[in-house]
């Protein structure tokens, strides 16, 4: 049962983009279309699951003081392996995703999950966490990409040649440029907070505090203490 | 002191394992990566060279040295007769990074077609250079009589709306390739 909880928490409750607000750099940079968002999300999911497995299995061997450099080396190694293998054996896929792979190294979601989850939990639960967080990240990126592509380009490219065009729509080019990323992200974040607040009010409970979020590593507020 | 040694040795060990792993992966993937890059290039060459009844000609690479720069022309011949040549050219005048194109020139001194090999322009603006509406206007343009510049600069090529800089970069690269071809034509078509 715990496996299931860890698996689904990334989809809404602890969504890495909209709830943990991690990985903003790739989020704002690649979500200019649905296809880009999906590609970045899936590549990140793969690296996240691999790095979670390795880090949770060596978590007792790594001294706490050097854990961050160790995690970075492990993650960078995986990213490079993915990049090389994909370039060599799946060049078509690499052409679509190649741009995003090096970006994964600097993706806070992966280092964040290594630090906050994989270094404290078993391999089994870390796999669930990796898959859930990865899918949550993918969903967030794809949703944001779809909104920006529809508004900014007037079309929706699902994958490859599968493309829908909205006839007679004058695209708002702003939406696929950097400011559009901030605007779309802000509106979606606001909507999600609103939905959560309304849901809490209907149930008659107070708006949940971020205690259930994994913010132990952060010392700015004392919620996790 | 003991702690420092422990921390250093753990970190060193992890880096060593990573390095060895990467070296192993790299040695396995090196050949396929080169092959894939070659296949990608071959595809771009095929796109810009003329074909007879749908059959692509064999191409042979020919290195031309112009101003200390090596340009590799891929020359297609039909029973010894020159039918076209493709060359990769690039421009650094783009909006973000280098724009790399492949231009094919046929025996009638016309541009057969161009292909965008690599670009990192703004999605939705400059990146629209890969769309046929922009790319295809280069087709069948005479290399000598066409004014190789965008309309904004009194040339013959329609720039992409709101992406004049990216359009200029493409035209600039095409022109560079054509100039080398014109200069060394005798050597290439012989």
């Amino acid at each position: 049962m715990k496996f299931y909880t860890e698996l689904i928490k990334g989809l809404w409750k602890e969504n890495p983009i909209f709830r943990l607000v991690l990985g903003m750099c790739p989020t704002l940079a690649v979500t200019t279309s649905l296809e880009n968002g999906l590609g970045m999300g899936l590549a990140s999911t793969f690296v996240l699951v691999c790095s979670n497995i390795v880090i949770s299995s060596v978590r007792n061997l790594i001294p706490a003081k050097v854990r961050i450099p160790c995690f970075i080396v492990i993650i960078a190694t995986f990213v490079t392996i993915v990049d090389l293998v994909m370039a060599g054996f799946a060049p078509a896929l690499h052409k679509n995703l190649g741009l995003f792979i090096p970006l994964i190294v600097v993706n806070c979601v992966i280092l964040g999950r290594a630090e906050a989850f994989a270094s404290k939990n078993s391999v089994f639960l870390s796999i669930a966490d990796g898959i859930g967080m990865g899918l949550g990240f993918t969903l967030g990126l794809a949703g944001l990409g779809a909104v920006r592509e529809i508004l900014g380009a007037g079309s929706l490219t699902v994958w490859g040649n599968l493309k829908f065009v909205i006839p007679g729509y004058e695209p708002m080019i702003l939406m696929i440029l950097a400011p559009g990323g901030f605007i779309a992200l802000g509106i979606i974040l606001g909507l999600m907070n609103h939905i959560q607040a309304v849901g809490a009010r209907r149930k008659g409970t107070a708006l949940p505090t971020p205690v259930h979020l994994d913010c132990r590593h952060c010392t700015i507020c004392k919620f996790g203490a | 002191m003991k702690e420092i040694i422990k921390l250093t040795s753990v970190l060193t060990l992890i880096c060593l394992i990573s390095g060895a792993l990467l070296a192993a992966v790299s040695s396995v993937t090196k050949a396929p990566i080169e092959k894939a890059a070659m296949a990608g290039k071959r595809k771009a060459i095929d796109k810009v060279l003329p074909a007879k009844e749908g059959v692509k000609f064999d191409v042979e690479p020919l290195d031309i040295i112009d101003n200390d720069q090596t340009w590799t022309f891929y020359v297609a011949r039909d029973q010894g007769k020159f039918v076209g040549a493709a060359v990769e050219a690039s421009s650094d005048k783009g909006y973000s990074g280098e724009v790399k194109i492949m231009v094919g020139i046929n025996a009638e001194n016309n541009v057969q077609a161009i292909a965008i090999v690599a670009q990192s322009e703004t999605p939705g603006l400059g990146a629209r250079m890969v769309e046929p509406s922009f790319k295809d206007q280069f087709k069948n343009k005479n290399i000598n009589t066409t004014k190789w510049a965008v309309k904004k600069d009194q040339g013959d090529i329609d720039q992409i709306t709101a992406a004049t800089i990216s359009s200029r970069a493409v035209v600039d690269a095409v022109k560079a390739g054509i100039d080398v071809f014109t200069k060394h034509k005798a050597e290439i078509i012989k």
Side-chain angles (χ1 to χ4, degrees):
Chain A
M1 218 50 242
K2 194 140 185 249
F3 186 84
Y4 180 72
T5 327
E6 298 299 349
L7 194 69
I8 58 153
K9 68 167 192 258
L11 297 183
W12 175 278
K13 218 170 94 186
E14 292 187 27
N15 187 291
I17 295 179
F18 301 118
R19 279 283 161 267
L20 306 182
V21 201
L22 284 175
M24 284 300 108
C25 173
T27 302
L28 293 167
V30 308
T31 54
T32 51
S33 70
L34 172 62
E35 194 180 18
N36 283 357
L38 268 179
M40 178 69 184
L42 293 175
S44 304
T45 305
F46 181 77
V47 174
L48 183 55
V49 173
C50 290
S51 76
N52 265 9
I53 291 173
V54 172
I55 286 166
S56 60
S57 56
V58 297
R59 68 186 189 280
N60 295 327
L61 306 174
I62 294 176
K65 281 182 181 164
V66 290
R67 65 186 193 284
I68 302 280
C70 291
F71 296 164
I72 292 176
V73 171
I74 292 171
I75 294 166
T77 308
F78 269 114
V79 171
T80 315
I81 290 176
V82 170
D83 191 30
L84 288 174
V85 170
M86 207 185 259
F89 300 104
L93 192 65
H94 189 261
K95 212 178 163 194
N96 276 330
L97 301 186
L99 188 65
F100 310 125
I101 306 228
L103 280 176
I104 301 174
V105 183
V106 291
N107 191 331
C108 287
V109 176
I110 295 172
L111 190 62
R113 293 329 287 171
E115 166 72 7
F117 197 91
S119 64
K120 299 181 181 112
N121 288 285
S122 69
V123 178
F124 184 62
L125 289 180
S126 296
I127 293 175
D129 180 73
I131 297 173
M133 283 292 163
L135 290 183
F137 190 55
T138 310
L139 267 178
L141 288 182
L144 203 52
V147 169
R148 289 179 68 189
E149 193 184 352
I150 290 170
L151 295 176
S155 64
L156 192 66
T157 314
V158 181
W159 196 266
N161 293 324
L162 187 58
K163 184 175 178 172
F164 303 99
V165 179
I166 303 166
Y169 172 75
E170 186 62 42
M172 289 191 276
I173 288 169
L174 173 77
M175 287 310 287
I176 49 174
L177 299 180
F182 285 100
I183 293 170
L185 180 69
I187 290 174
I188 295 179
L189 260 171
L191 273 177
M192 283 182 72
N193 281 339
H194 181 70
I195 291 170
Q196 207 171 25
V198 167
R201 204 161 52 229
R202 284 213 183 125
K203 270 194 222 149
T205 54
L207 190 63
T209 54
V211 172
H212 65 281
L213 294 186
D214 197 354
C215 50
R216 283 181 293 247
H217 56 291
C218 168
T219 51
I220 294 169
C221 79
K222 293 291 177 205
F223 275 125
Chain B
M1 191 61 206
K2 223 175 144 189
E3 199 190 6
I4 288 182
I5 293 170
K6 195 192 166 199
L7 297 184
T8 316
S9 50
V10 168
L11 205 50
T12 312
L13 191 71
I14 287 184
C15 288
L16 271 179
I17 296 172
S18 295
L21 205 63
L22 285 179
V25 172
S26 172
S27 69
V28 173
T29 54
K30 198 166 177 260
I33 288 175
E34 273 167 14
K35 220 175 110 193
M38 226 19 250
K41 198 170 225 175
R42 174 74 225 208
K43 232 167 125 186
I45 294 169
D46 282 346
K47 259 189 230 158
V48 300
L49 279 182
K52 193 166 74 173
E53 288 147 14
V55 180
K56 293 289 180 187
F57 300 108
D58 283 337
V59 293
E60 46 178 289
L62 175 72
D63 284 342
I64 299 284
I65 294 162
D66 185 80
N67 281 340
D68 291 335
Q69 203 188 337
T70 311
W71 299 73
T72 308
F73 279 83
Y74 299 91
V75 186
R77 289 175 212 280
D78 184 17
Q79 285 148 15
K81 209 172 126 256
F82 174 83
V83 289
V87 65
E88 197 177 83
S90 64
S91 168
D92 53 7
K93 290 187 185 157
Y95 200 70
S96 59
E98 201 184 33
V99 174
K100 248 192 206 166
I101 57 106
M102 179 80 79
V103 55
I105 302 154
N106 61 25
E108 289 85 49
N109 277 340
N110 289 336
V111 170
Q112 178 73 23
I114 69 160
I116 311 289
V117 178
Q119 58 89 15
S120 46
E121 301 298 290
T122 317
L125 293 171
R128 282 171 57 206
M129 64 170 66
V130 301
E131 290 176 7
S133 56
F134 176 73
K135 225 166 47 160
D136 285 357
Q137 53 174 328
F138 289 86
K139 279 186 181 170
N140 294 323
K141 282 224 165 31
N142 189 286
I143 60 168
N144 300 318
T145 58
T146 306
K147 284 203 249 358
W148 292 110
V150 292
K151 289 220 165 121
K152 217 173 184 170
D153 305 332
Q154 284 79 45
D156 286 337
I157 304 292
D158 267 324
Q159 64 266 13
I160 304 163
T161 312
T164 310
I165 294 175
S166 307
S167 313
R168 269 192 199 128
V170 176
V171 177
D172 185 56
V174 170
K175 190 172 182 304
I178 289 173
D179 283 349
V180 179
F181 176 81
T182 318
K183 209 164 147 192
H184 298 271
K185 197 178 166 196
E187 210 178 325
I188 294 164
I189 65 172
K190 71 164 186 281

